[in-house]
């Protein structure tokens, strides 16, 4: 794909060397995350709504109740901004000013459209589910006609997008390196806890391997 994802709106301004518009980098971050924040304006009021998502090729898919304000308004074709953030560490500097975070983040701008084709809708729902718990979809009952009717799926093309990545330790002022204060990085990882069985389980079923071994390794 030769087209550029950079536009005037997705050009990074502050510390632009931390930014990239490479599709592969953007996809890798999107595939490691599963929660995005969806920003949009309705009647002059900005909303930033957290939700799950999935990616298929060059589209991000989100879903929700057909009655949701977010989904009802986005399908009208209003401008939307979808942001995904992965926190990799807290960067502790010798001065308050130079504290920072290590992160990988993506911003996608554009307009979303309603997925009307039933086959694409089901594929998208599967992609969202698989992005959150890979392996789950094949185990569970698929949505029925009524559930599908109550659910809207929207897709946003990844055409105007940017990624930003910070890595490494603190960058202090030269004169501060002699200060007697601990400095470094506290790494952060998203790791699951111990699975808790539903007390309403009425059949014997082992904890699936995809739950026991759950991790957020990107698929791409
Ligand atoms: C976990 C985390 C903590 C952060 N903490 C701070 C903080 O405390 N203070 C602070 O000023 N900044 C912080 N940032 C960076 C912040 O996200 C912006 O990059 C920063 O405010 C610079 O904005 P700007 O004015 O240069 O660009 P803007 O004019 O705001 O953005 C221009 C374009 O650059 C792209 N862009 C900007 N930021 C990002 C990003 N993070 N990821 C992907 N694309 C981006 C978008 O396409 C955007 O449309 C943090 C980022 C993360 C992920």
């Amino acid at each position: 794909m030769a087209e550029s994802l950079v536009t005037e709106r997705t050009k990074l301004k502050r510390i632009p060397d931390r930014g990239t518009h490479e599709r592969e980098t953007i996809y890798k971050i999107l595939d490691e995350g599963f929660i995005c924040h969806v920003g949009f304006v309705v009647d002059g009021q900005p909303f930033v709504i957290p939700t799950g998502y999935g990616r298929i090729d060059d589209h991000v898919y989100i879903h929700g109740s057909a009655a949701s304000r977010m989904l009802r308004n986005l399908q009208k074709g209003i401008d939307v901004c979808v942001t995904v953030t992965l926190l990799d560490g807290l960067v502790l500097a010798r001065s308050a000013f130079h504290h920072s975070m290590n992160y990988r983040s993506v911003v996608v701008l554009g307009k979303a459209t309603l997925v009307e084709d039933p086959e694409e809708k089901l594929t998208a729902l599967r992609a969202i589910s698989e992005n959150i718990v890979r392996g789950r979809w094949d185990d569970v009952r698929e949505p029925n006609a009524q559930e599908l009717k109550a659910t809207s799926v929207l897709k946003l093309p990844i055409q105007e997008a940017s990624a930003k990545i910070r890595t490494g330790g603190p960058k202090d002022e030269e004169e501060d390196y002699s200060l007697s204060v601990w400095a470094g990085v506290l790494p952060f990882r998203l790791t699951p806890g111990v699975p808790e069985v539903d007390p309403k389980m009425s059949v014997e079923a082992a904890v699936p391997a995809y739950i026991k071994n759950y991790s957020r390794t990107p698929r791409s």
Side-chain angles (χ1 to χ4, degrees), residues 9-14 85 101 103 105 107 162-164:
R9 301 197 301 177
T10 51
K11 210 182 274 174
L12 284 113
K13 297 178 182 91
R14 284 197 54 248
T85 309
M101 292 186 211
Y103 61 81
S105 56
V107 170
S162 56
K164 197 168 176 182

Side-chain angles (χ1 to χ4, degrees), residues 201-206:
M201 280 277 295
S202 58
V203 293
E204 280 293 311

Side-chain angles (χ1 to χ4, degrees), residues 102-154:
N102 284 337
Y103 61 81
R104 289 161 290 152
S105 56
V106 163
V107 170
V108 184
L109 303 180
K111 293 179 197 298
T113 49
L114 185 69
V115 175
E116 304 204 61
D117 176 61
E119 203 177 309
E120 186 184 0
K121 185 171 178 178
L122 201 60
T123 305
L125 289 170
R126 183 191 175 102
I128 295 167
S129 172
E130 288 293 291
N131 189 40
I132 299 167
V133 188
R134 203 179 312 159
R136 189 64 176 162
W137 189 265
D138 287 340
D139 269 4
V140 296
R141 175 179 66 73
E142 285 196 10
N144 60 31
Q146 197 188 335
E147 290 166 340
L148 283 170
K149 197 170 167 217
T151 305
S152 289
V153 175
L154 297 184

Side-chain angles (χ1 to χ4, degrees), residues 36-40 47-52 62 70 74 80-83:
C36 64
H37 286 81
V38 180
F40 56 96
F47 297 92
V48 179
I49 304 294
T51 191
I62 59 172
M70 176 174 73
L74 291 188
V80 59
C81 173
V82 169
T83 301

